Amino acid sequence: MKIVRWMGGMVWVAALAACSGQEQAPQAAVPVLVVHPGEQAGQAPAAFPGTVRARQESPLSFRVGGHLVKRHVDAGQRVKKGDVLAELDVADFALQAR
């Protein structure tokens, strides 16, 4: 029974502490610096190194180079042995063969 009274008293004290009538003063506005990107007088243009990669990459490749004409399957699709996955433009290969 003592524990219940103790817990009830703690809840009552917490409720009274939360109901204090003091309002906090509004905070003053903080000035900020705004910079618009672009070339400014007296400054060299900024260059940042990076790597550009394709959204979809395949670890597989063709034995010959060329432009991909058509892709017959999508990522995650089941295939069987002998299925055609993609087609290459034959013009490049024909020029190399000559």
Side-chain angles (χ1 to χ4, degrees):
M1 213 46 196
K2 288 183 181 182
I3 293 175
V4 174
R5 285 186 194 166
W6 179 255
M7 295 294 280
M10 293 299 289
V11 170
W12 181 255
V13 170
L16 288 177
C19 295
S20 64
Q22 297 175 356
E23 288 188 25
Q24 294 181 356
Q27 295 180 350
V30 178
V32 295
L33 176 65
V34 177
V35 177
H36 296 283
E39 291 186 25
Q40 296 179 356
Q43 288 185 341
F48 301 101
T51 304
V52 178
R53 299 185 67 162
R55 182 175 293 163
Q56 295 179 352
E57 292 184 4
S58 175
L60 303 175
S61 64
F62 293 98
R63 292 183 183 172
V64 294
H67 294 283
L68 189 63
V69 175
K70 189 171 183 182
R71 189 177 68 187
H72 294 279
V73 294
D74 291 324
Q77 188 175 351
R78 290 186 180 264
V79 294
K80 292 180 260 172
K81 185 176 181 178
D83 287 350
V84 176
L85 304 179
E87 294 179 25
L88 286 177
D89 186 12
V90 294
D92 288 339
F93 187 63
L95 290 173
Q96 289 177 1
R98 280 195 224 162

